Amino acid sequence: MEQKLIETIVGAIQDKKGKNIVSLDISKTDGAICSAFVVCNADSTTQVAAIAAGIEEKVLETLGEKVWRVEGQQNALWIAMDYVDVVVHIFQTELRDFYKLEELWADAPSVRYEYEE
């Protein structure tokens, strides 16, 4: 189920033209709060919000699964979506460059997804 969830999330991000999509398998990391992170970025708060809405809609439609918790929708600079086993981080590009979230989990296995026009 987890892999199908990740694939659905990535597809929804691609549908909204999210950039630099990567999934990190943190399941074997001590103290990990979930099994995987999916991280992407967008160039505007409007696009960040649209990606979050697209993920929520596609996951519900495809898998029948509701997001457990969403943070950051007010300003849409960094939205975190908690699907319990998978947490999605949608950053505005400058914030992603600043926080470098993937570097905190640099030793976790990762998959990068190509941007598709």
Side-chain angles (χ1 to χ4, degrees):
M1 175 62 181
E2 183 182 301
Q3 191 55 43
K4 184 70 176 153
L5 177 58
I6 291 170
E7 290 168 9
T8 303
I9 290 166
V10 168
I13 294 168
Q14 290 171 332
D15 289 348
K16 301 293 183 186
K17 311 278 191 258
K19 298 178 179 176
N20 305 313
I21 307 165
V22 63
S23 64
L24 302 167
D25 178 355
I26 60 172
S27 61
K28 293 177 179 49
T29 305
D30 287 342
I33 58 167
C34 61
S35 298
F37 281 163
V38 177
V39 185
C40 71
N41 59 274
D43 293 328
S44 69
T45 55
T46 304
Q47 188 182 12
V48 168
I51 290 169
I55 291 169
E56 196 166 351
E57 182 179 309
K58 191 166 191 170
V59 169
L60 185 60
E61 179 183 294
T62 306
L63 304 174
E65 194 170 331
K66 290 183 178 179
V67 65
W68 185 66
R69 186 170 179 139
V70 180
E71 293 291 332
Q73 286 179 308
Q74 304 81 4
N75 58 22
L77 296 172
W78 174 4
I79 295 179
M81 305 178 74
D82 186 349
Y83 281 96
V84 184
D85 286 336
V86 178
V87 175
V88 185
H89 297 273
I90 311 159
F91 286 96
Q92 193 165 7
T93 302
E94 298 79 34
L95 275 168
R96 183 174 184 183
D97 293 342
F98 178 79
Y99 284 106
K100 301 182 187 320
L101 186 66
E102 296 98 310
E103 289 182 18
L104 296 174
W105 309 96
D107 50 352
S110 64
V111 176
R112 294 202 171 275
Y113 300 88
E114 294 300 316
Y115 178 72
E116 298 174 6
E117 281 290 334

